[in-house]
Amino acid sequence: MKRTGAQIFVESLKAEGIDTIFCYPGGATLNITDALTDISQINQVVVRHEQAAVHAADGYARASGRVGVALVTSGPGATNTVTGIATACMDSIPMVVFSCQVNTMLIGNDAFQEADIVGITRPCTKHSYLVRDVKDLAKIIKEAFHIAASGRPGPVLVDIPKDVSSAVADFKYPEKAVIRSYQPTYVGHLGQIKKAMRLMLHSKRPVLYTGGGVILSNASQELTRFAETLSIPVTNTLMGLGGIPGNHPLFLGMLGMHGTYAANMAITESDLIIAMGARFDDRATGKTDEFAPHAKIIHVDIDPTSISKNIKVDIPIVGDTRNVLTQMLKIIEEEKETYRQYHKDIAEWIDKINQWKKDYPLTYQRNDILKPQHVIERIFELTKGKAIITTEVGQNQMWTAQFFKFLKPRTCLTSGGLGTMGYGFPAAIGAQVAFPKSLVVDIAGDGSIQMNIQELATAVQYDLPVKVVILNNGFLGMVRQWQQLFYEKRYTWTHLHSPDFVKVAEAYGAVGLRIEKEADVDKVLKQAFKNKRPTFIDVHVSPEECVYPMVPAGASLKEMLLV
Amino acid sequence: MRHTISLLVENEFGVLSRIAGLFSGRGFNIESLCVAESLDPTVSTMTIVTTGNDAILEQILKQLNKLINVIKVVDFKDIDYVSRQMVLVKVNAEEKTRPEILRMVEIFRGKIIDVSSRSYTIMITGDEDKLKAFISLIKPLGIKELVRTGPIAMARGERLMKIKEKTDIKGGESNG
């Protein structure tokens, strides 16, 4: 059947089962926006800035496990997506971004609103396409969704020139994507897995170090069962939080720069690290030469490039984390007695770790001034952990990682790899669109929230009851912390003047609340969580509070500054 | 250490810049890069010469493999292979020096592919040492211009750079 490119676009999205796109219109999108008029199967959320469209698609994807979709116009519309695409790329988030482009005849002519967006985003996409012929459009869209969601997921960009969206072609959506050069490995090599399991039986101080791969491959149940069956303690990276319940007895807390004492010491004294879907990021490892100095390393990852990139690995296993864990659990099932004994063999190690946990818990000093950590603890208690939490970047993000005990996967949405300020609020909007009935809370700083504060209009327009808790300390807190610790308290550029957030919320038609003392925390938070409207909660917290423990940059994990 | 890598890639626009971008984005060095269509017009062959230690080489190979348009990557580190490059040299050719140039071209099994009243343009193919030797010998006669390709390489004997059979993959499903 003959269709225009714009109709092919719409039909292809329907064929992929896409229910939501985050978008912003422009001249080059007109054919497509027109074709989307009256299409009720696809929820169209128009944001206020293209960066937010991509973050919202990202939040939607992280929370739901489905592919996020954004659609923007050419030139500045497309270039505004770069930060969002890079954020998704660093955290391996499945996403397809459709940018529109000037007419094919004009490409390369410095036409009005023209940008070589395929070229600009090449280093931060998993793959990208410029559609030159309407006949290729359906095939390219099929491939784009396949590439975005399979293997190590990531963002794919499809650039559609305006004349391609108006040209006509036969439409038949391909059933399969066939890409001869792209065949990810999903199942781990059994020989390597057996070798890894034998190595494990010889270790006395094993630690599971798990990352975002566990969340992306939906392996958290398998991970928890694996850890429980053998009593192996687990530490998560920031991206891995929720992979094992945050209140699980075997959970050590996050490791790394702001990780717990128990996690960092366990890594340092371990004789075997079992890394699952984690990539040995520098924020997690500290000084790489002194990372796990006594340990052999088993590394499970779907992406071969992650293996032995930063840390030399003894046993690499390329495969999907969930598949590999299932394969490992099968071996344990077959040799129950051996593994039951192993469980006993490492009891001494578990005791040692429990002692660390007891002696050096995450803590902060309580005094008259309201502490941000307390606010996060209360959010956890009042929601009983049943909330989707997004964060911005900086102190708010680290305190959330430390003090909110993520009980389930896909409830911690945070920009781990790129560290993008301004991510949390639009991501919360995306998550709220995916789960309209869930409580979605963005834990923000006064600096970060101002990077995409305009999205309050989107939240109000679409009636998305997102709660934004602004830990307002009057500073760019994390940069200020570094200035305090390493630059003799010379707070250059970090003291921010902020608007009255309550009035800002009200001006947009949202609810604005304020907390100034500890006694009001519960009351105001309860009030916020109960109301069904987008809400800003401006929380005035201690201005010079620092995130501890802290491993200074370039130091080893055992060199922690405690409170 | 210097490495020669051969790639089969989709013959599409933008592929070369993805590969070059991978090298520049990660700070890997490209010493030379030759690319042209292969026997199959949908596939191009690239020969890249790069430098780096084993860890860098491992990352280069893995990262190249990760690119969607790259069909196959072969590192010639442990493979016996032949490699050739070509140089075109325009030299001064006065009456006095012509016989000597001709003799040298013959020794090096080159060809004179263009002649003018005051110059010869010579084509020489061979490995790097041979080209180097020729250039150093011809230099005193006065080189006007020189262009050269990087090497192209192929494994010796029966070994082929084969493309895997096409595999059908359903969207999002594991293909084992």
Side-chain angles (χ1 to χ4, degrees):
Chain A
M1 196 189 288
K2 295 278 185 199
R3 291 261 201 268
T4 65
Q7 288 166 336
I8 290 173
F9 171 86
V10 174
E11 292 305 317
S12 301
L13 256 57
K14 278 159 66 179
E16 281 294 327
I18 299 305
D19 60 12
T20 304
I21 57 171
F22 298 91
C23 43
Y24 201 88
T29 66
L30 280 167
N31 297 325
I32 293 176
T33 42
D34 191 58
L36 279 164
T37 314
D38 305 326
I39 300 290
S40 57
Q41 296 99 314
I42 302 175
N43 184 14
Q44 299 152 39
V45 181
V46 182
V47 295
R48 297 298 181 271
H49 188 298
E50 288 88 353
Q51 183 191 348
V54 182
H55 288 326
D58 176 313
Y60 173 94
R62 290 189 209 223
S64 69
R66 300 192 288 266
V67 180
V69 182
L71 169 69
V72 300
T73 192
S74 66
T79 54
N80 275 346
T81 64
V82 172
T83 304
I85 293 173
T87 304
C89 193
M90 291 289 272
D91 292 343
S92 309
I93 304 306
M95 178 192 293
V96 179
V97 175
F98 293 97
S99 54
C100 293
Q101 183 56 278
V102 300
N103 285 338
T104 41
M105 288 294 286
L106 293 173
I107 291 176
N109 284 5
D110 298 334
F112 175 66
Q113 292 200 327
E114 184 197 355
D116 171 16
I117 194 63
V118 168
I120 290 168
T121 58
R122 198 167 280 136
C124 62
T125 46
K126 183 170 173 188
H127 195 55
S128 51
Y129 295 91
L130 168 61
V131 187
R132 303 187 68 118
D133 190 329
V134 67
K135 291 201 281 291
D136 300 331
L137 183 58
K139 176 177 169 279
I140 285 175
I141 293 177
K142 180 78 207 175
E143 285 185 11
F145 278 98
H146 171 59
I147 291 170
S150 57
R152 178 178 184 167
V156 176
L157 180 116
V158 181
D159 200 23
I160 308 175
K162 191 170 180 184
D163 55 333
V164 169
S165 62
S166 61
V168 174
D170 282 323
F171 173 65
K172 190 173 176 290
Y173 197 61
E175 275 182 30
K176 294 171 185 170
V178 182
I179 308 170
R180 61 180 161 186
S181 50
Y182 175 67
Q183 294 171 25
T185 308
Y186 285 90
V187 180
H189 188 279
L190 196 60
Q192 289 290 90
I193 291 175
K194 285 185 173 160
K195 224 160 103 183
M197 300 293 280
R198 276 200 299 278
L199 188 63
M200 220 171 63
L201 288 177
H202 284 104
S203 80
K204 290 276 179 267
R205 300 185 303 279
V207 177
L208 272 156
Y209 151 66
T210 70
V214 169
I215 312 287
L216 291 167
S217 69
N218 298 315
S220 76
Q221 276 185 16
E222 287 77 3
L223 170 70
T224 309
R225 224 174 90 210
F226 182 80
E228 283 172 353
T229 312
L230 303 175
S231 273
I232 300 183
V234 183
T235 175
N236 290 159
T237 66
L238 178 64
M239 295 306 299
L241 291 174
I244 184 167
N247 54 5
H248 196 286
L250 284 168
F251 184 53
L252 303 173
M254 184 174 74
L255 84 162
M257 184 172 271
H258 295 294
T260 64
Y261 184 87
N264 286 349
M265 288 310 292
I267 292 281
T268 305
E269 296 206 3
S270 165
D271 65 352
L272 180 72
I273 305 285
I274 308 157
M276 299 249 174
R279 63 191 173 92
F280 297 91
D281 175 77
D282 53 271
R283 282 292 185 274
T285 59
K287 192 178 182 185
T288 46
D289 297 347
E290 289 171 35
F291 177 79
H294 316 292
K296 297 252 186 211
I297 294 177
I298 298 167
H299 190 184
V300 180
D301 206 298
I302 197 156
D303 178 8
T305 56
S306 281
I307 290 173
S308 288
K309 186 167 69 177
N310 302 329
I311 299 279
K312 181 103 179 54
V313 168
D314 296 283
I315 301 184
I317 301 170
V318 177
D320 175 80
T321 310
R322 187 174 174 191
N323 286 345
V324 174
L325 276 164
T326 309
Q327 288 170 283
M328 287 177 160
L329 283 164
K330 197 167 163 241
I331 294 173
I332 295 172
E333 188 59 32
E334 282 161 6
E335 298 171 45
K336 266 187 196 152
E337 270 318 303
T338 317
Y339 287 97
R340 197 167 292 158
Q341 181 54 42
Y342 180 66
H343 182 108
K344 288 175 197 156
D345 287 352
I346 59 173
E348 205 178 307
W349 173 234
I350 300 296
D351 289 346
K352 187 168 191 183
I353 282 176
N354 285 338
Q355 196 59 45
W356 282 331
K357 280 164 80 172
K358 211 172 129 200
D359 293 346
Y360 303 97
L362 282 170
T363 184
Y364 57 95
Q365 281 161 4
R366 303 282 286 271
N367 51 33
D368 298 344
I369 312 167
L370 177 53
K371 293 295 174 87
Q373 298 94 327
H374 172 74
V375 179
I376 292 165
E377 279 180 333
R378 293 314 299 158
I379 296 173
F380 176 73
E381 292 298 334
L382 293 172
T383 60
K384 300 189 177 65
K386 286 180 190 153
I388 298 171
I389 303 291
T390 72
T391 79
E392 303 292 340
V393 166
Q395 288 183 320
N396 61 79
Q397 180 184 34
M398 289 299 114
W399 283 320
T400 306
Q402 291 178 334
F403 290 93
F404 193 96
K405 304 199 183 324
F406 292 95
L407 301 178
K408 284 189 176 160
R410 301 195 179 280
T411 55
C412 174
L413 318 184
T414 189
S415 169
L418 196 65
T420 308
M421 286 174 71
Y423 167 82
F425 185 32
I429 287 174
Q432 189 79 75
V433 171
F435 295 100
K437 291 185 179 152
S438 296
L439 175 63
V440 181
V441 182
D442 172 31
I443 298 178
D446 46 327
S448 283
I449 190 60
Q450 292 184 72
M451 285 211 170
N452 271 316
I453 200 163
Q454 76 287 345
E455 295 311 315
L456 199 42
T458 309
V460 170
Q461 180 179 342
Y462 293 94
D463 217 2
L464 300 166
V466 171
K467 315 298 171 206
V468 182
V469 177
I470 303 167
L471 300 174
N472 187 348
N473 57 10
F475 281 111
L476 285 176
M478 189 57 97
V479 188
R480 187 210 55 75
Q481 174 168 337
W482 283 54
Q483 287 171 329
Q484 178 183 329
L485 297 173
F486 310 116
Y487 293 85
E488 295 161 358
K489 291 196 175 188
R490 287 150 61 85
Y491 294 161
T492 312
W493 297 359
T494 45
H495 183 68
L496 289 188
H497 172 77
S498 293
D500 181 332
F501 290 114
V502 174
K503 282 188 180 160
V504 169
E506 286 168 358
Y508 273 102
V511 177
L513 301 169
R514 183 169 287 125
I515 299 174
E516 284 173 332
K517 52 185 193 295
E518 199 175 304
D520 293 341
V521 171
D522 280 25
K523 188 180 70 188
V524 177
L525 284 179
K526 275 184 197 162
Q527 188 187 344
F529 296 161
K530 223 189 293 168
N531 89 48
K532 300 286 179 224
R533 291 168 61 200
T535 306
F536 270 13
I537 307 124
D538 180 23
V539 191
H540 289 219
V541 295
S542 165
E544 292 192 86
E545 187 67 12
C546 289
V547 183
Y548 290 115
M550 178 178 186
V551 175
S556 75
L557 288 186
K558 65 181 177 193
E559 295 170 80
M560 274 167 282
L561 308 173
L562 299 168
V563 177
Chain B
M1 231 173 86
R2 186 189 261 190
H3 302 276
T4 304
I5 298 165
S6 202
L7 309 178
L8 294 181
V9 302
E10 298 286 353
N11 187 2
E12 285 172 8
F13 68 91
V15 176
L16 177 61
S17 78
R18 272 178 216 283
I19 288 167
L22 185 152
F23 277 80
S24 64
R26 292 173 189 273
F28 303 144
N29 182 39
I30 296 182
E31 211 163 272
S32 77
L33 194 159
C34 285
V35 52
E37 194 176 293
S38 73
L39 199 57
D40 175 351
T42 67
V43 176
S44 291
T45 311
M46 280 190 196
T47 311
I48 299 175
V49 179
T50 184
T51 47
N53 59 27
D54 283 355
I56 289 174
L57 180 72
E58 190 183 334
Q59 267 301 307
I60 290 174
L61 297 175
K62 283 175 172 174
Q63 296 287 354
L64 284 170
N65 262 311
K66 194 172 163 178
L67 292 177
I68 306 285
N69 293 133
V70 172
I71 303 166
K72 194 167 176 71
V73 182
V74 172
D75 162 33
F76 285 114
K77 193 179 164 205
D78 301 314
I79 297 174
D80 203 10
Y81 70 101
V82 286
S83 161
R84 292 290 181 272
Q85 47 187 302
M86 185 169 88
V87 62
L88 298 179
V89 197
K90 194 173 283 178
V91 294
N92 286 323
E94 309 295 336
E95 210 163 315
K96 269 196 315 200
T97 56
R98 286 186 178 222
E100 193 186 343
I101 295 172
L102 285 172
R103 209 165 42 246
M104 223 144 18
V105 169
E106 200 182 330
I107 292 167
F108 279 84
R109 280 184 281 173
K111 265 187 183 163
I112 293 176
I113 56 172
D114 187 50
V115 181
S116 78
S117 56
R118 294 171 63 189
S119 72
Y120 278 157
T121 301
I122 304 159
M123 177 187 82
I124 302 275
T125 56
D127 62 18
E128 198 181 352
D129 288 347
K130 179 180 165 187
L131 300 191
K132 220 175 177 178
F134 178 77
I135 292 163
S136 68
L137 288 170
I138 207 90
K139 210 172 192 175
L141 301 173
I143 295 178
K144 287 168 176 277
E145 196 181 348
L146 181 151
V147 284
R148 63 194 289 182
T149 68
I152 52 170
M154 191 180 265
R156 283 187 187 275
E158 297 304 306
R159 186 191 271 267
L160 300 174
M161 270 191 60
K162 264 196 254 166
I163 299 175
K164 269 194 219 160
E165 290 294 304
K166 284 187 183 182
T167 314
D168 287 356
I169 309 163
K170 264 192 185 170
E173 270 190 14
S174 91
N175 68 327

